[in-house]
Amino acid sequence: MSSENTASSQIQPANQGIANIAPYQTGKPIDELKRELGLDNIVKLASNENPLGCSPLATQAVRDELADVGRYPDGSGFKLKEKIVEVFDVEMSQITLGNGSNDILELVARTFVSSEDTVVYSQHAFAVYALATQAVGATGIEVPAKDFGHDLAAMAQAVRDDTRVVFLANPNNPTGTWFSETDFTAFMNTVPSRVLVVLDEAYVEYFPEYFNSLKFLEKYPNLLISRTFSKAYGLASLRVGFALASSEITDLINRVRQPFNVNSFALAAATAALGDQDFLHQTRTLNHAGMSQLEAGCAALGLSWIPSRANFLSICVSTDVERQGTKVFNDLLKLGVIVRPIAGYGMPDYIRVSIGTFTENKRFLEALSQVLQATE
Ligand SMILES: *Cc1c(COP(=O)(O)O)cnc(C)c1O
């Protein structure tokens, strides 16, 4: 024991910024709660997963890959990129594949940001922006939100000479807030073109009619669009996402990327998923119905929520200090319902609930009603 201590005390201090990182809090796994409670019927609405699972074509594609597990995956991801070219009308040279879009966000930071630089993102924005910034020892500039959403004008003003990257989430997680093409255009026209703007569109498939980001790629060579297969495509476990940007930016990121960062199951499943627009349509339809169901349920309980254009809703559950989001989260857990407390995002009065099936949403609303009555 004592020799271990000596050994660890000799380890060099971690890189600048690492010691200050608070690890990302993931949603509580279903199996963990099952073990803790001895409950069988758990509803998990904590990680914005697709309640329909994924396209059957993707499942079949994964099965078909099983014979080849002894081989490395295609490091260039040719077939998936070919499909992305077809669906999104971009060039091969504009695509970076990532081990989830989380990988994309980190690759951007490692490629473009050093410890002398600053990175701009919004208050209540997706936690990985701050994590990726801190991991490279850079300084994050968190711009106060406006009505929980990104204040794009203030964010443009916050850009300094040493700012290399701005992270934007549209819609944002955990708030569900979004911004318009008009506000985005004004933002892009204000931010210097040497600053890389990362537009994280993890939820864009749910309400695609509000924002067409692809057309901005040609106009703004400093724009990078980040997409994921984890949410609407239902492939969260496989870890695959992609970035679209100029071929210059893409080439630079590619130098940092691990050669085999996306495994063969993920590549095959994502390619198949892009070919199943019916599944995406079903996903959207279920999400819209579930959104209405949750909104009506919250209204009936006298609760307010932040209007969302994603697959989750952040609900204000607090009326006083006694009943904060974390307490409601814990009380819901005891009833077998997993949601997400978001105090860590500076929103202690809120819980974030992912939109599930009709039955899951109903179960959540009933449990919430029970929990709120008990604390009234
Ligand atoms: C879920 C999420 C991601 C990352 O998802 P991956 O599974 O890593 O692709 C990125 N950005 C936002 C805003 C998210 O909510």
Side-chain angles (χ1 to χ4, degrees):
M1 192 64 206
S2 62
S3 68
E4 258 176 50
N5 282 343
T6 317
S8 66
S9 68
Q10 285 167 353
I11 292 173
Q12 296 293 315
N15 291 339
Q16 197 191 332
I18 303 285
N20 298 326
I21 293 182
Y24 183 86
Q25 301 287 326
T26 59
K28 196 176 182 70
I30 292 177
D31 283 346
E32 192 178 303
L33 190 62
K34 273 189 187 167
R35 279 195 303 274
E36 285 174 12
L37 294 185
L39 279 182
D40 240 356
N41 187 11
I42 308 276
V43 170
K44 184 186 175 204
L45 299 172
S47 301
N48 303 341
E49 295 151 341
N50 192 326
L52 295 175
C54 68
S55 158
L57 300 183
T59 315
Q60 187 55 46
V62 168
R63 278 199 202 98
D64 294 344
E65 279 304 314
L66 273 170
D68 279 328
V69 284
R71 306 243 173 239
Y72 279 102
D74 173 9
S76 73
F78 183 82
K79 285 186 188 151
L80 175 53
K81 283 189 186 167
E82 202 175 44
K83 192 75 192 168
I84 291 172
V85 165
E86 179 193 317
V87 174
F88 299 101
D89 193 24
V90 292
E91 306 284 331
M92 272 293 187
S93 62
Q94 294 183 277
I95 307 167
T96 308
L97 301 181
N99 192 265
S101 60
N102 199 132
D103 190 26
I104 299 289
L105 303 173
E106 284 182 25
L107 284 171
V108 164
R110 280 170 54 209
T111 307
F112 297 103
V113 185
S114 76
S115 57
E116 284 80 51
D117 301 327
T118 61
V119 171
V120 169
Y121 43 80
S122 174
Q123 182 190 15
H124 311 308
F126 187 49
V128 171
Y129 310 150
L131 292 177
T133 301
Q134 284 174 279
V136 295
T139 304
I141 299 177
E142 189 184 281
V143 180
K146 195 164 86 184
D147 298 331
F148 291 103
H150 290 14
D151 184 345
L152 288 181
M155 291 181 79
Q157 291 307 313
V159 167
R160 313 192 315 204
D161 287 346
D162 59 5
T163 300
R164 304 297 311 275
V165 169
V166 179
F167 285 112
L168 303 176
N170 195 37
N172 180 47
N173 170 18
T175 57
T177 50
W178 67 94
F179 49 77
S180 68
E181 287 189 4
T182 312
D183 289 350
F184 177 71
T185 305
F187 172 84
M188 291 304 291
N189 289 338
T190 312
V191 169
S193 56
R194 58 171 177 77
V195 176
L196 179 65
V197 176
V198 175
L199 182 59
D200 179 352
E201 297 193 305
Y203 301 95
V204 71
E205 295 85 5
Y206 290 96
F207 294 84
E209 61 275 29
Y210 290 106
F211 201 100
N212 173 11
S213 59
L214 296 170
K215 65 168 183 274
F216 291 110
L217 274 179
E218 217 166 312
K219 188 162 177 213
Y220 300 109
N222 60 326
L223 174 64
L224 180 143
I225 294 170
S226 171
R227 299 271 179 106
T228 181
F229 287 96
S230 299
K231 310 282 161 58
Y233 293 101
L235 300 176
S237 163
L238 292 175
R239 314 304 305 130
V240 51
F242 63 97
L244 303 174
S246 73
S247 28
E248 290 77 11
I249 288 172
T250 305
D251 173 57
L252 290 167
I253 296 174
N254 198 46
R255 298 174 197 207
V256 179
R257 183 181 67 85
Q258 281 184 48
F260 302 107
N261 63 336
V262 185
N263 71 71
S264 54
F265 299 103
L267 289 172
T271 311
L274 278 180
D276 193 346
Q277 290 300 312
D278 282 350
F279 178 79
L280 217 50
H281 182 74
Q282 285 170 38
T283 293
R284 234 174 251 141
T285 306
L286 182 73
N287 192 65
H288 286 40
M291 181 82 83
S292 305
Q293 183 189 359
L294 288 181
E295 288 178 341
C298 288
L301 291 170
L303 300 174
S304 67
W305 63 88
I306 304 171
S308 163
R309 282 196 183 147
N311 67 341
F312 56 84
L313 208 56
S314 283
I315 303 167
C316 183
V317 289
S318 170
T319 46
D320 54 52
V321 283
E322 292 295 298
R323 196 176 82 190
Q324 292 200 304
T326 305
K327 167 145 177 56
V328 171
F329 159 75
N330 280 313
D331 291 349
L332 286 171
L333 276 188
K334 290 177 202 144
L335 300 175
V337 176
I338 314 175
V339 299
R340 190 73 80 92
I342 45 177
Y345 282 90
M347 299 170 66
D349 297 341
Y350 286 76
I351 55 170
R352 190 196 70 192
V353 58
S354 307
I355 296 171
T357 61
F358 177 81
T359 315
E360 289 170 329
N361 299 335
K362 188 161 172 278
R363 173 96 186 268
F364 160 72
L365 287 168
E366 285 165 1
L368 183 61
S369 166
Q370 201 177 323
V371 163
L372 296 183
Q373 268 168 24
T375 49
E376 236 158 35

